[in-house]
């Protein structure tokens, strides 16, 4: 089994920040890496910024 770890970070221009961690299990490494590639991104939302980082590990 492969575990996809997704970390979401959001920061605002007022100095506030929030984060979350989500995990999903995949039966193959290829499926896990495909999902990680699909969700990883960064950008702006309103007056803040966000980043979604994803990494596959084999526990």
């Amino acid at each position: 089994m492969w575990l996809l770890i997704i970390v979401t970070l959001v920061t605002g221009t007022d100095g506030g920040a929030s984060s979350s961690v989500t995990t999903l299990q995949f039966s193959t490494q290829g499926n896990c890496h495909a999902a990680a590639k699909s969700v990883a991104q960064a950008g702006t939302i309103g007056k803040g910024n966000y980043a979604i980082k994803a990494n596959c590990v084999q526990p």
Side-chain angles (χ1 to χ4, degrees):
M1 293 301 268
W2 285 84
L3 187 67
L4 174 60
I5 302 170
I6 303 168
V7 178
T8 305
L9 307 167
V10 179
T11 59
T13 56
D14 62 355
S18 67
S19 65
S20 68
V21 176
T22 305
T23 59
L24 298 168
Q25 288 187 339
F26 290 88
S27 58
T28 67
Q29 181 182 16
N31 288 345
C32 187
H33 284 292
K37 185 177 178 181
S38 295
V39 300
Q41 59 180 303
T44 59
I45 185 168
K47 293 183 178 182
N49 297 309
Y50 70 92
I52 303 171
K53 306 291 183 176
N55 193 31
C56 293
V57 296
Q58 190 173 29

